[in-house]
Structure formats: C-alpha cells, structure tokens
Amino acid sequence: MAISKMKKLFLATLRQDEERLMAALSWAGCVEITPCGEAFAGFAPESRQKGIAEVSVQQKKLGDALLILDGVLPPDRGLFKRKERLAQALFDSPDKTVAEALTLADGVAAVAAQKEALLLKTAALRREIEGLAPWCVCEESADRMFTRRTELLLGTLPAACPLFRLTAALNGTSPETQDGANKPSDKFSQAKSGEDDNAPAAAPLAAEVLPLFCDKAKQYLMICVLREDRDECLSRLTPLGFVRADPLPADFSFPEGVPHSFSAAKDTLAAQLATAEAEAKACLDDLKGRANDRKILRQAADFLSTKFLRLKAADRLGGSEHTLFLTGWVPEKALGRLEKTLAPFDCAWETEDPAPADDVPVLLSNKKIFTPFESVVEMYSLPAYGSFDPTPIMSVFYFFIFGLMLGDVVYGLILSLACFVALKKLDLGRGARNLISLFGVCGISCMISGVIFSGYLGNLPGQIASSAAGSNFAMPGIDLLTQDGIFIFIFLSLGMGVLQILTAMGIKFYMLCRKGEVFAAVFDVGSWYVIFLGGALSVLLSGVGQTIGIAVLILGLAMKITTAGRAKKGIFGKITGGLLGLYDIVGYLSDLVSYMRIMALGLASAVIAYVVNILATLMISPGFSVGTLIGWILLPVILLAGHVINLALNLLGCFVHDGRLQYIEFFGRFFEDGGRPFAPLMPEANYHVIEREEESD
Amino acid sequence: MKKKVILILSLVLALVVLAALPSFAAAEEETASLTLWDFFYNGTTLSLIGAFFAVALSGIGSAKGVGIAGQTAAGVVAEDPSLGGKFIALEALPATQGIYGFVAGFLVMIKNGVIAGNADLSVADGMYYLFACLPIGVVGLISAIHQGKVAAAGMQMVAKQKDQFGKAITYAAVVETYAILALLISALLIFLH
C-alpha cells in the first residue's frame, strides 16, 4: 500500500545501441525518461529530428488513408469487437510492413483523389445539362447561330416582364401608347414607365422574338435581328432585364455524326455524365475492396506510433558522438526487471534516491484487490510524492458505502456478473479495466447489504407471493421501508460517517507525526479526539462514567482553546484563535450530516424498485382484468424495463456520491494532491492488442 | 424564482385556510352529510396534494437542471464527440432531485394508506403530510436548477482540461447536499408520523 518509491536512474551506453535500447526499455515499460539536462546535452544528432519529422509525416499519411477507408468500408471496430493480436517481435522490425503500407496508402489516396475529381465532374455536368434543358426546343444549329445578314440572339428575360414590353422596346414605342387605355398594372412596367415617358421615341428595329420556354423565374427567348442592329437591340433590351445566354459549355465540341442541335448536345453531356458516374462508382468499389489493405495500414500505424514514442523518448537523451547518456525514473520494485532488460547491453548504470527538490512522478501500487479503487483516487488527483496513498483505507469505505447505497442481492449479482464478463470478453484499456473491476467488486458489497436489508429486486418475492397467492411471505432481513428499518439505516449511515471522519483524522495525525510535527498532531488533531471521546462518554454513560466523560470533554476543550491560536501574535490573537479553533465543530457536524446521503440514495433505489414491483405484480393480482396468462407474460417485461432503469440511475448516483464522500469528507482532512503521474516509455497500439513474449505487471 | 416560491407558499397557505373553513362550518351546523367540500378537503386529499408538491416541484427543478446541463453538453460534444459518454454522467446529476421528490411522494402514499387501499386521514394528518412534503419540493426545485448550472460549467471546464472530470462531478455533487438534507427531513417527518 503506498506510493511506489522511485529511483533516479543514470545510464551510459554506446550510441550505436540507441535503437535497441529504446526498444528494450519500451517493452520493459518501467522507465520514465527525463530530459538529461544541460550538462550532458552536448550532442544532438540531426538525423533524429529528421527521423521524428519523417515518422510523423508517415503517420499522417497512414491516418489519412485509414480515414478514407473507414469512410467506405463497414466498421469493424467497437467496444464489443475483439482487437486483433499482434506479436511483440513485429514491432521491432516494422520497416517492411511500413513500406508496404505507405505504398498502399499512396494507392488509396490516389483512388480517393480520382473519385473526388470524378464527383466534381459529375456535379459540373449535371449543372450544364440542367442549363441546357430549356433551350432544347430550339432546333437551330447550336454552333452556327447566324447567316450573312441576320443573327439569332439567345437570352433570358425575368418572368415578370411581359413580352409586349420587349416588342414595344424593339419597335421604339412605349407600351402605354400601344395599349392605350389598357395600362398594364404590374409593378415591373410601373417602375419603368417614368423613364419611358421622357425617352424620345426611337426608330423601330427589324426583329423577331420567339419565346422558347418559360419557367418560374425566367423566359427563354430567341431573337432574330439584322447583324447591324444587334448592338442597338441589346442596348434597348438590357434595361428590361434581358441577359444573353450561351447554353453550350465553354469547352464543348460536338462529336462526329451528331446533329449540332441543343438537344443533341444535351444527350452528349448526359452520356459523359453516365461515364463519369460509372468511373466514380468503380473508384468507390475499388476502395471497398481494400479491406485487406486496411489491416496492413493499421498494423503499420501501430508500429509507427510505437516508433514515434521511442524516437521522442530518445530525443531526451544526451551524450556525445559515440556515447549515450540517459536519465530517468524507475520504480524501486521494478529494478529487477530493469536489470534483466539491461543485461545484454554494454552499459553502465546506477540509481540514487530522489532529492527533495526533484519532481518525482507518482505511481500507485497496491495489492491487487485494491487496484480497482486506484481509479477513484486518480479521478480526484494523485497524491503528492512522499505523502500518503489513501487507496486501501478508502477502498474499504467505498466498498461498504456503495453497497449501502444500492443494497440489493440481484442488482449486485447482475453488476458483478456483467463486469466479470466484460473483463473477460472485451479489450479494454487500463482505465476502463479498473473502473469495470471497481463496479464488479462493489457488486459484492451490494449483495451483502441486500441480504441484510432483504433486497431481492426490491421486495419482489414478497410482492409476488402476496399478489399471486395472497400470502404474507417476506424474505428474511430488515425491511427498509418501515420506521425501524429507516432508523437502522440512518444509524448505519451516520456510523459510517463517524468511522470515516475519525479515520481521516487518524491519517492526518500520522502524517503530521511522520513529518516530525508531533506538537501539531497532538494539539490540532489529538485534541479533537479528546473532545469527541469526552462528548461520547458524557452522552452515552451515566453516573461516574458520565462525570469522567465531562472531565475529558473539558480537558479537550481546554487543549483546543489554549493551543489553536498558538501561531497568532499577541495574547488577544491567541485567545480569539483558540476560540475560532472550536468553530471547526460546525465543519465536523456538516460533514457528518453529509453522510445522510447514503440513506437518501439507499431509500431512493429501494423505493423505485418497490414501485416497479407494485406495477408489475398488479398484472397478476386477482383484481386486475388482463387475465392470468397475459399477466404472467407482462410481468417480466415490466420488471425488466423498470429494474434496468432503476439500476442504471442508481449506479450513476452511487458512483458519484460515494466518490464525493471520499473526496470532500474523507480526503479533505488530510489529502495532499498534485502528484505527477508516472509516464514510462511503453509501446502503443490503437488497433491491436500486443501479444507480449514476457508479461510485465 | 423568488416569485415562484412565494406563489407556491401562498398557494399552500390558501389551502390551509380553506381547509380550516369546514371545521367552522361543522361547528355551526352539525350535519353528517358528505358535501363536495368534504370531498376535496379531507386528510387523504391534502396528503396527496403534499405528494404532488414533492413530486412536481422537484421534478420541475430536475427537468430544468438536466435541460441546462444537456444544452451545454450538446454544444461541447459537437466540438469534441469523445466527451459524450462522460457528459451523460454530468448531465444526469440534477436528475436526482426529481427522484428524491418521487421518493417522498411515494412514502406519503405508503403512509396515508392509498397503496394499501385503506386511506382515511383526518384533516390535521393530511395537513401534516402536506407540510412534510414541502422541504424536498421547494429545495429540490431550486437546488436542481443550480446543480444544472454547475454541471454545465463543469462541462466547459472538462472541455478545456480533460483530466478534471472528477472535480467537475464533485463540484456539481456538492450542490446536491441540500436536496439530500431536505429529503432527509421530509422522509423523517413522513416516517415519524
């Protein structure tokens, strides 16, 4: 139980061994390499920086290719899918796989780029076809819209502009004079009418307007004019909103043997579109057929991420052209493993104890039964190096409080079984493993308190017995939902609080003594013990015992008042400080009351289970009209849904509030946080589980 | 918020006054016939109004608190989907007040005999249950909303500092203390009667 003792490691070896050494250390997984400091940092080979840059470029390339493939291939990863195994030896000679994967990645990127280009092309073709569609009525030769004297103008006019305005403009008359009293009332002509009144009448142009097509926004027109009138015609029509159109795409040319009409052009484009779409589909199919490539890419990606970490670690090494110098941290208990790892190398190494000023990393190492609870501590903060690891003591409290909050045999059984199966069947990281084992262990506690408080899916056995047979059967144990039951539960909750607070004070006492501050330990913490002891005696006992209790209480109070203000200056400061020290009693009381949440959560889970049972057994009660058979079918459905929801809700509540009790009420009294987690050089694999030749603990 | 609380409390006061009226009426004319008045102002109904306050007020608070936290969660997870799972825990924290209210309401139903089917309470007993339900109702309403705000702020903290999840949870859980104290008093009052 404790924070692992760390040793400072100094190691000198030959530079030619660098790669081998990094590989060996990463498999050993017990050395955190630190920057070796000014004194030894004389030599930094350029090739290493280049290597790091190269590997990250390769990683990026593989990552991009994997992203593309993951987009088209069916997903084959997930919580419930086992990862593939990959032998350790492969990680040390990855070059061949990596080279192959890089080629494959290039191929994937090329096909994907081609696919993108084709998709862009199809989109452009679709737009062109759409633009061409209104002109298909025009049967003229699309690329020869003129004769010697005349020219055909294609163009569009806003749909709101009536055609007669167009013809009027061409004839050089204003529409009002043409239409006489029948003045058009649409806003388009009103807006224009002001100018027209002042404009002098122009000479009529010889022009023919042929409307081709009309949609909601535009009218598509063909206007036949004399060549010399063309510019004049356009200058008269542009104010009306006429825009010349060139329906054929810029780079379009008619294939041979095809009539040069707009509809033929449209058909040609449609054929091109079909080809492009087919090609894009072929690219997609090509990508979809690369499931095997993805496997190789993933292997290479895992090799590279391990290589990258090794290079990064090697970057912290010092030395000269031919020698290598390494500084780092190694847990004392891993020294044996380190020795074995380093045996094949020509190297000199030594360890020493950390100096007080060193930034020592923190690794918690506890007995196996307590390791799941380390995650609870880590979620708060690691303890500072040299302080106290509360994991084992906290585990005991966490375990029992969790059970009290969710006291039910069946819930506990489900929890433990589910977690056990998950641990066996899923590939989980260290954090997830710890958390799941935590729930699994706490499931046992739920079962224990379930037996005490007769929780078997709430009161299900009794409820079924009374609904189906009308009997008064009840499982043995204390019924929580009675006056007696609730008081026992409150007593247990507060008792847990008293125990834990006293334990926290004890740890504080121990830590102060270890630091040599015995005086502070006795007067700051010990005096509270005396006060509590005296208080308890005087309340619980009678007669002589009570008198002794009161005496002890007074002694404790006196200790507190006389010493709590000892750091203050002046007699006045010391007295007020002493009295203020007593004020902490409020803190103890509020912390104690906080433990009532155990009762609140326990009650909540029991009551909801009770409600679910009432609803479910309503189905089989004789007074209910569903019928016996259907009732017995509905019963498990309601039970399942209700209890799953209850379990999920209360698991969250227990996890949060049990943790909170530890963090605030327990840790708050003694915990020194701010430990830096130990980060040894380790192999890293995202897609695979590494099959180790020799398991490290 | 203050207005709402005042509104709720005055509603309760009005009920008390109204419930006291029949006893004056009964003193004047001693008829035993059951009127519509008796139908509404009897012990069982009053205790059920208490259960209503416990469940409804704390339920409103939880809905609002979870809503606040959920909106923030959606915003943050849009930026970083990997936080989705963690945030469900933070989002669900303000949901407990609703459960506490439900527990109190249900305890009333056990004690006043509605579940057992022999509900027959005096007006004084009903009034007792009504008041016993108020702590968790009112405190649940307000604490759930504030817990939702703290949970939302915690999510923004975790978005920037991923390893601070434990603290974010703890900050939000501290707010709940007062809902737990209120439930404690409500539950004790109901049980002790």
Side-chain angles (χ1 to χ4, degrees):
Chain A
M1 75 163 229
I3 300 165
S4 292
K5 270 216 170 112
M6 287 286 164
K7 289 279 193 184
K8 221 174 188 170
L9 171 72
F10 300 94
L11 184 150
T13 183
L14 296 174
R15 185 163 287 281
Q16 62 193 30
D17 286 342
E18 179 185 310
E19 206 172 317
R20 261 177 65 221
L21 179 72
M22 285 298 127
L25 286 182
S26 80
W27 292 120
C30 61
V31 178
E32 177 179 319
I33 298 172
T34 51
C36 68
E38 292 293 312
F40 304 99
F43 187 80
E46 264 181 37
S47 62
R48 188 183 291 139
Q49 282 306 329
K50 252 170 81 185
I52 292 177
E54 192 190 341
V55 170
S56 36
V57 169
Q58 290 172 345
Q59 276 183 311
K60 174 87 173 58
K61 214 172 188 181
L62 296 188
D64 288 347
L66 280 170
L67 213 60
I68 293 168
L69 288 182
D70 283 340
V72 294
L73 288 170
D76 61 349
R77 294 204 301 154
L79 185 58
F80 296 104
K81 296 229 169 89
R82 308 278 340 221
K83 290 178 179 175
E84 274 182 53
R85 263 60 187 161
L86 214 52
Q88 172 179 342
L90 291 172
F91 277 78
D92 293 334
S93 51
D95 292 345
K96 196 167 147 263
T97 319
V98 170
E100 189 189 350
L102 286 174
T103 326
L104 290 175
D106 283 339
V108 169
V111 175
Q114 196 189 351
K115 193 187 103 191
E116 283 307 308
L118 283 168
L119 286 179
L120 279 179
K121 193 175 161 194
T122 53
L125 281 171
R126 278 206 194 91
R127 255 197 326 275
E128 284 165 3
I129 291 171
E130 201 177 311
L132 211 46
W135 306 103
C136 285
V137 195
C138 173
E139 285 167 1
E140 308 301 323
S141 167
D143 50 356
R144 207 184 134 79
M145 303 285 282
F146 50 84
T147 65
R148 200 154 54 86
R149 295 289 316 278
T150 64
E151 193 166 338
L152 288 170
L153 298 178
L154 293 177
T156 61
L157 200 62
C161 177
L163 261 189
F164 64 79
R165 290 194 56 88
L166 194 78
T167 46
L170 289 173
N171 291 336
T173 52
S174 67
E176 286 77 14
T177 53
Q178 192 187 30
D179 282 78
N182 190 12
K183 197 171 177 180
S185 59
D186 62 290
K187 65 172 191 249
F188 193 86
S189 50
Q190 274 171 4
K192 292 283 176 194
S193 62
E195 309 166 14
D196 284 358
D197 287 344
N198 300 332
L205 296 175
E208 174 82 43
V209 179
L210 290 166
L212 296 174
F213 187 77
C214 184
D215 61 23
K216 268 185 191 159
K218 287 175 185 167
Q219 316 176 54
Y220 299 82
L221 306 175
M222 181 161 72
I223 302 171
C224 181
V225 285
L226 288 174
R227 284 196 142 190
E228 64 257 33
D229 288 345
R230 187 188 64 187
D231 292 342
E232 173 63 18
C233 171
L234 283 176
S235 70
R236 287 192 200 177
L237 295 186
T238 314
L240 294 177
F242 182 81
V243 180
R244 276 194 80 175
D246 190 6
L248 285 185
D251 54 348
F252 184 81
S253 59
F254 282 99
E256 279 185 37
V258 171
H260 290 201
S261 70
F262 285 115
S263 57
K266 189 181 148 203
D267 292 344
T268 315
L269 288 177
Q272 285 177 11
L273 176 64
T275 329
E277 274 174 347
E279 283 172 21
K281 174 106 190 344
C283 287
L284 188 65
D285 288 342
D286 180 9
L287 288 179
K288 277 186 181 161
R290 287 171 185 253
N292 202 39
D293 291 10
R294 180 161 72 168
K295 272 186 193 157
I296 296 167
L297 285 170
R298 281 182 180 167
Q299 283 180 12
D302 275 354
F303 294 155
L304 281 182
S305 53
T306 299
K307 189 173 171 187
F308 185 74
L309 287 181
R310 286 177 189 171
L311 283 173
K312 273 300 229 192
D315 200 31
R316 302 198 191 111
L317 303 180
S320 68
E321 204 177 335
H322 295 293
T323 61
L324 206 59
F325 188 70
L326 180 154
T327 56
W329 295 105
V330 55
E332 200 177 50
K333 65 179 176 115
L335 281 178
R337 181 140 44 96
L338 183 65
E339 198 167 349
K340 232 165 68 188
T341 310
L342 292 178
F345 290 94
D346 294 327
C347 66
W349 63 282
E350 62 179 27
T351 58
E352 68 177 39
D353 285 329
D358 282 336
D359 177 24
V360 189
V362 175
L363 174 71
L364 300 183
S365 68
N366 288 290
K367 290 217 172 66
K368 215 164 182 186
I369 179 106
F370 295 130
T371 34
F373 294 91
E374 282 172 7
S375 58
V376 179
V377 179
E378 279 162 16
M379 201 187 263
Y380 183 69
S381 164
L382 280 173
Y385 188 79
S387 68
F388 182 81
D389 176 14
T391 309
I393 298 177
M394 189 214 70
S395 309
V396 178
F397 286 112
Y398 195 94
F399 179 79
F400 284 112
I401 290 177
F402 197 98
L404 282 176
M405 284 174 170
L406 191 67
D408 195 292
V409 176
V410 184
Y411 287 174
L413 202 64
I414 293 172
L415 198 57
S416 292
L417 281 180
C419 293
F420 180 73
V421 171
L423 285 178
K424 283 274 162 214
K425 292 281 170 197
L426 303 182
D427 290 317
L428 300 163
R430 184 184 159 271
R433 275 197 99 73
N434 269 350
L435 206 60
I436 289 189
S437 344
L438 175 76
F439 281 122
V441 172
C442 288
I444 299 170
S445 167
C446 297
M447 284 188 256
I448 297 174
S449 85
V451 170
I452 297 172
F453 288 101
S454 76
Y456 302 86
L457 282 183
N459 61 340
L460 188 64
Q463 189 74 34
I464 286 187
S466 72
S467 295
S471 75
N472 250 344
F473 171 78
M475 296 297 279
I478 303 161
D479 186 0
L480 193 56
L481 296 178
T482 58
Q483 202 160 318
D484 289 345
I486 207 86
F487 274 107
I488 293 172
F489 206 52
I490 287 175
F491 178 77
L492 270 178
S493 305
L494 289 181
M496 199 58 89
V498 169
L499 263 181
Q500 199 166 18
I501 289 174
L502 290 180
T503 314
M505 287 162 60
I507 297 172
K508 179 78 184 167
F509 192 90
Y510 165 76
M511 282 170 73
L512 283 172
C513 286
R514 210 174 54 169
K515 273 189 194 162
E517 297 174 32
V518 182
F519 195 72
V522 171
F523 288 111
D524 287 350
V525 185
S527 59
W528 280 119
Y529 272 126
V530 178
I531 292 173
F532 291 153
L533 180 71
L537 286 179
S538 56
V539 171
L540 297 178
L541 299 180
S542 57
V544 184
Q546 191 172 30
T547 321
I548 295 173
I550 291 171
V552 173
L553 179 63
I554 290 171
L555 173 71
L557 290 175
M559 268 170 85
K560 192 86 232 165
I561 292 172
T562 48
T563 58
R566 64 183 184 278
K568 296 264 169 60
K569 279 194 181 126
I571 185 74
F572 184 70
K574 283 187 200 300
I575 292 173
T576 45
L579 289 173
L580 275 177
L582 272 184
Y583 186 73
D584 281 350
I585 192 82
V586 178
Y588 283 105
L589 274 180
S590 69
D591 280 1
L592 190 60
V593 172
S594 184
Y595 281 83
M596 291 302 266
R597 74 187 62 234
I598 300 176
M599 184 219 74
L601 283 151
L603 199 62
S605 65
V607 164
I608 295 178
Y610 188 49
V611 173
V612 171
N613 291 341
I614 287 182
L615 278 178
T617 49
L618 200 61
M619 300 294 138
I620 55 164
S621 68
F624 200 65
S625 59
V626 178
T628 322
L629 183 68
I630 301 177
W632 278 103
I633 295 171
L634 281 176
L635 175 80
V637 177
I638 297 176
L639 282 181
L640 188 72
H643 284 295
V644 163
I645 292 172
N646 188 25
L647 182 58
L649 267 177
N650 279 293
L651 263 187
L652 176 68
C654 292
F655 177 65
V656 167
H657 284 282
D658 200 349
R660 183 226 118 107
L661 281 178
Q662 311 305 327
Y663 298 157
I664 296 178
E665 274 76 28
F666 189 52
F667 287 180
R669 306 217 165 271
F670 65 87
F671 198 73
E672 286 173 25
D673 61 356
R676 180 172 70 82
F678 178 62
L681 176 62
M682 299 256 261
E684 191 184 82
N686 287 324
Y687 300 104
H688 299 88
V689 174
I690 305 172
E691 215 141 64
R692 304 292 291 268
E693 284 157 15
E694 183 187 8
E695 200 59 41
S696 65
D697 47 37
Chain B
M1 186 51 60
K2 264 183 196 160
K3 273 184 196 163
K4 274 187 198 166
V5 176
I6 292 170
L7 192 77
I8 292 159
L9 289 179
S10 40
L11 198 63
V12 175
L13 268 179
L15 278 172
V16 176
V17 173
L18 284 173
L21 284 178
S23 55
F24 295 127
E28 284 172 13
E29 40 176 307
E30 297 201 355
T31 49
S33 68
L34 195 70
T35 62
L36 191 63
W37 190 259
D38 298 323
F39 186 72
F40 281 114
Y41 294 99
N42 61 55
T44 310
T45 311
L46 283 173
S47 66
L48 288 182
I49 290 172
F52 161 78
F53 276 126
V55 178
L57 292 184
S58 58
I60 292 169
S62 280
K64 214 164 171 176
V66 175
I68 292 167
Q71 284 173 358
T72 305
V76 176
V77 173
E79 296 278 317
D80 184 354
S82 69
L83 291 169
K86 282 185 171 177
F87 280 8
I88 292 176
L90 263 176
E91 192 201 340
L93 276 184
T96 32
Q97 277 86 345
I99 296 174
Y100 295 156
F102 171 79
V103 168
F106 192 76
L107 290 180
V108 168
M109 284 166 66
I110 295 179
K111 289 288 282 190
N112 72 1
V114 165
I115 299 240
N118 54 3
D120 184 23
L121 255 64
S122 71
V123 169
D125 285 345
M127 203 53 85
Y128 177 94
Y129 284 126
L130 201 166
F131 276 92
C133 284
L134 285 183
I136 185 56
V138 176
V139 179
L141 170 64
I142 295 169
S143 74
I145 293 170
H146 282 284
Q147 196 177 21
K149 287 179 184 164
V150 177
M155 287 170 185
Q156 281 164 353
M157 177 175 83
V158 175
K160 290 193 177 124
Q161 307 268 331
K162 294 239 165 96
D163 52 344
Q164 297 300 308
F165 182 63
K167 294 208 178 78
I169 285 244
T170 311
Y171 292 152
V174 171
V175 184
E176 197 165 318
T177 305
Y178 307 100
I180 287 170
L181 295 182
L183 171 65
L184 179 71
I185 293 303
S186 286
L188 281 181
L189 282 174
I190 295 166
F191 261 115
L192 288 178
H193 194 58

PDB file of all heavy atoms in Angstrom, chain B residues 128-143:
ATOM      1  N   TYR B 128     -50.467  17.651   7.931  1.00  0.00           N
ATOM      2  CA  TYR B 128     -49.119  17.285   8.387  1.00  0.00           C
ATOM      3  C   TYR B 128     -48.304  16.772   7.205  1.00  0.00           C
ATOM      4  O   TYR B 128     -47.181  17.201   6.960  1.00  0.00           O
ATOM      5  CB  TYR B 128     -49.231  16.223   9.479  1.00  0.00           C
ATOM      6  CG  TYR B 128     -47.907  15.707   9.979  1.00  0.00           C
ATOM      7  CD1 TYR B 128     -47.301  16.269  11.089  1.00  0.00           C
ATOM      8  CD2 TYR B 128     -47.270  14.663   9.325  1.00  0.00           C
ATOM      9  CE1 TYR B 128     -46.076  15.799  11.537  1.00  0.00           C
ATOM     10  CE2 TYR B 128     -46.047  14.183   9.757  1.00  0.00           C
ATOM     11  CZ  TYR B 128     -45.463  14.751  10.876  1.00  0.00           C
ATOM     12  OH  TYR B 128     -44.270  14.289  11.310  1.00  0.00           O
ATOM     13  N   TYR B 129     -48.877  15.853   6.444  1.00  0.00           N
ATOM     14  CA  TYR B 129     -48.142  15.283   5.308  1.00  0.00           C
ATOM     15  C   TYR B 129     -47.845  16.345   4.271  1.00  0.00           C
ATOM     16  O   TYR B 129     -46.789  16.369   3.652  1.00  0.00           O
ATOM     17  CB  TYR B 129     -48.934  14.133   4.685  1.00  0.00           C
ATOM     18  CG  TYR B 129     -48.873  12.875   5.508  1.00  0.00           C
ATOM     19  CD1 TYR B 129     -50.021  12.230   5.922  1.00  0.00           C
ATOM     20  CD2 TYR B 129     -47.648  12.341   5.868  1.00  0.00           C
ATOM     21  CE1 TYR B 129     -49.961  11.082   6.685  1.00  0.00           C
ATOM     22  CE2 TYR B 129     -47.573  11.198   6.636  1.00  0.00           C
ATOM     23  CZ  TYR B 129     -48.736  10.573   7.045  1.00  0.00           C
ATOM     24  OH  TYR B 129     -48.648   9.444   7.791  1.00  0.00           O
ATOM     25  N   LEU B 130     -48.834  17.248   4.085  1.00  0.00           N
ATOM     26  CA  LEU B 130     -48.629  18.297   3.095  1.00  0.00           C
ATOM     27  C   LEU B 130     -47.372  19.100   3.439  1.00  0.00           C
ATOM     28  O   LEU B 130     -46.507  19.339   2.593  1.00  0.00           O
ATOM     29  CB  LEU B 130     -49.854  19.200   3.058  1.00  0.00           C
ATOM     30  CG  LEU B 130     -50.097  20.048   1.808  1.00  0.00           C
ATOM     31  CD1 LEU B 130     -51.507  20.590   1.828  1.00  0.00           C
ATOM     32  CD2 LEU B 130     -49.135  21.188   1.670  1.00  0.00           C
ATOM     33  N   PHE B 131     -47.261  19.475   4.705  1.00  0.00           N
ATOM     34  CA  PHE B 131     -46.105  20.274   5.097  1.00  0.00           C
ATOM     35  C   PHE B 131     -44.825  19.451   5.103  1.00  0.00           C
ATOM     36  O   PHE B 131     -43.752  19.958   4.807  1.00  0.00           O
ATOM     37  CB  PHE B 131     -46.346  20.934   6.459  1.00  0.00           C
ATOM     38  CG  PHE B 131     -47.103  22.207   6.333  1.00  0.00           C
ATOM     39  CD1 PHE B 131     -48.475  22.234   6.428  1.00  0.00           C
ATOM     40  CD2 PHE B 131     -46.424  23.386   6.067  1.00  0.00           C
ATOM     41  CE1 PHE B 131     -49.170  23.414   6.280  1.00  0.00           C
ATOM     42  CE2 PHE B 131     -47.108  24.565   5.909  1.00  0.00           C
ATOM     43  CZ  PHE B 131     -48.481  24.588   6.020  1.00  0.00           C
ATOM     44  N   ALA B 132     -44.970  18.175   5.433  1.00  0.00           N
ATOM     45  CA  ALA B 132     -43.784  17.322   5.446  1.00  0.00           C
ATOM     46  C   ALA B 132     -43.174  17.224   4.051  1.00  0.00           C
ATOM     47  O   ALA B 132     -41.970  17.031   3.899  1.00  0.00           O
ATOM     48  CB  ALA B 132     -44.142  15.930   5.957  1.00  0.00           C
ATOM     49  N   CYS B 133     -44.011  17.385   3.040  1.00  0.00           N
ATOM     50  CA  CYS B 133     -43.513  17.259   1.663  1.00  0.00           C
ATOM     51  C   CYS B 133     -42.834  18.520   1.171  1.00  0.00           C
ATOM     52  O   CYS B 133     -42.091  18.487   0.183  1.00  0.00           O
ATOM     53  CB  CYS B 133     -44.656  16.932   0.721  1.00  0.00           C
ATOM     54  SG  CYS B 133     -45.181  15.235   0.842  1.00  0.00           S
ATOM     55  N   LEU B 134     -43.090  19.645   1.802  1.00  0.00           N
ATOM     56  CA  LEU B 134     -42.590  20.909   1.255  1.00  0.00           C
ATOM     57  C   LEU B 134     -41.065  21.010   1.202  1.00  0.00           C
ATOM     58  O   LEU B 134     -40.532  21.519   0.220  1.00  0.00           O
ATOM     59  CB  LEU B 134     -43.182  22.084   2.020  1.00  0.00           C
ATOM     60  CG  LEU B 134     -44.643  22.346   1.672  1.00  0.00           C
ATOM     61  CD1 LEU B 134     -45.133  23.569   2.405  1.00  0.00           C
ATOM     62  CD2 LEU B 134     -44.833  22.512   0.186  1.00  0.00           C
ATOM     63  N   PRO B 135     -40.317  20.568   2.234  1.00  0.00           N
ATOM     64  CA  PRO B 135     -38.856  20.748   2.143  1.00  0.00           C
ATOM     65  C   PRO B 135     -38.267  20.211   0.844  1.00  0.00           C
ATOM     66  O   PRO B 135     -37.623  20.939   0.112  1.00  0.00           O
ATOM     67  CB  PRO B 135     -38.336  19.974   3.349  1.00  0.00           C
ATOM     68  CG  PRO B 135     -39.430  20.027   4.321  1.00  0.00           C
ATOM     69  CD  PRO B 135     -40.709  19.999   3.526  1.00  0.00           C
ATOM     70  N   ILE B 136     -38.537  18.947   0.533  1.00  0.00           N
ATOM     71  CA  ILE B 136     -37.904  18.386  -0.658  1.00  0.00           C
ATOM     72  C   ILE B 136     -38.474  19.026  -1.922  1.00  0.00           C
ATOM     73  O   ILE B 136     -37.778  19.215  -2.911  1.00  0.00           O
ATOM     74  CB  ILE B 136     -38.027  16.843  -0.704  1.00  0.00           C
ATOM     75  CG1 ILE B 136     -37.258  16.272  -1.895  1.00  0.00           C
ATOM     76  CG2 ILE B 136     -39.457  16.386  -0.746  1.00  0.00           C
ATOM     77  CD1 ILE B 136     -35.817  16.646  -1.953  1.00  0.00           C
ATOM     78  N   GLY B 137     -39.741  19.423  -1.873  1.00  0.00           N
ATOM     79  CA  GLY B 137     -40.322  20.066  -3.054  1.00  0.00           C
ATOM     80  C   GLY B 137     -39.610  21.359  -3.395  1.00  0.00           C
ATOM     81  O   GLY B 137     -39.087  21.531  -4.494  1.00  0.00           O
ATOM     82  N   VAL B 138     -39.568  22.273  -2.415  1.00  0.00           N
ATOM     83  CA  VAL B 138     -39.009  23.599  -2.684  1.00  0.00           C
ATOM     84  C   VAL B 138     -37.496  23.529  -2.898  1.00  0.00           C
ATOM     85  O   VAL B 138     -36.953  24.060  -3.873  1.00  0.00           O
ATOM     86  CB  VAL B 138     -39.353  24.561  -1.515  1.00  0.00           C
ATOM     87  CG1 VAL B 138     -38.703  25.908  -1.748  1.00  0.00           C
ATOM     88  CG2 VAL B 138     -40.848  24.704  -1.414  1.00  0.00           C
ATOM     89  N   VAL B 139     -36.805  22.820  -1.999  1.00  0.00           N
ATOM     90  CA  VAL B 139     -35.341  22.747  -2.121  1.00  0.00           C
ATOM     91  C   VAL B 139     -34.948  21.986  -3.382  1.00  0.00           C
ATOM     92  O   VAL B 139     -33.996  22.361  -4.078  1.00  0.00           O
ATOM     93  CB  VAL B 139     -34.719  22.097  -0.872  1.00  0.00           C
ATOM     94  CG1 VAL B 139     -33.224  21.999  -1.017  1.00  0.00           C
ATOM     95  CG2 VAL B 139     -35.072  22.896   0.352  1.00  0.00           C
ATOM     96  N   GLY B 140     -35.707  20.931  -3.685  1.00  0.00           N
ATOM     97  CA  GLY B 140     -35.409  20.173  -4.903  1.00  0.00           C
ATOM     98  C   GLY B 140     -35.529  21.048  -6.134  1.00  0.00           C
ATOM     99  O   GLY B 140     -34.678  21.014  -7.024  1.00  0.00           O
ATOM    100  N   LEU B 141     -36.575  21.870  -6.162  1.00  0.00           N
ATOM    101  CA  LEU B 141     -36.797  22.756  -7.312  1.00  0.00           C
ATOM    102  C   LEU B 141     -35.573  23.636  -7.545  1.00  0.00           C
ATOM    103  O   LEU B 141     -35.032  23.710  -8.646  1.00  0.00           O
ATOM    104  CB  LEU B 141     -38.035  23.611  -7.054  1.00  0.00           C
ATOM    105  CG  LEU B 141     -38.295  24.760  -8.016  1.00  0.00           C
ATOM    106  CD1 LEU B 141     -38.566  24.238  -9.400  1.00  0.00           C
ATOM    107  CD2 LEU B 141     -39.451  25.608  -7.553  1.00  0.00           C
ATOM    108  N   ILE B 142     -35.134  24.305  -6.488  1.00  0.00           N
ATOM    109  CA  ILE B 142     -34.085  25.304  -6.685  1.00  0.00           C
ATOM    110  C   ILE B 142     -32.708  24.665  -6.803  1.00  0.00           C
ATOM    111  O   ILE B 142     -31.895  25.043  -7.647  1.00  0.00           O
ATOM    112  CB  ILE B 142     -34.141  26.325  -5.527  1.00  0.00           C
ATOM    113  CG1 ILE B 142     -35.473  27.064  -5.627  1.00  0.00           C
ATOM    114  CG2 ILE B 142     -32.994  27.308  -5.624  1.00  0.00           C
ATOM    115  CD1 ILE B 142     -35.793  27.900  -4.438  1.00  0.00           C
ATOM    116  N   SER B 143     -32.452  23.638  -5.968  1.00  0.00           N
ATOM    117  CA  SER B 143     -31.097  23.070  -5.999  1.00  0.00           C
ATOM    118  C   SER B 143     -30.834  22.358  -7.323  1.00  0.00           C
ATOM    119  O   SER B 143     -29.710  22.368  -7.820  1.00  0.00           O
ATOM    120  CB  SER B 143     -30.877  22.115  -4.827  1.00  0.00           C
ATOM    121  OG  SER B 143     -31.566  20.915  -5.037  1.00  0.00           O
TER     122      SER B 143
END
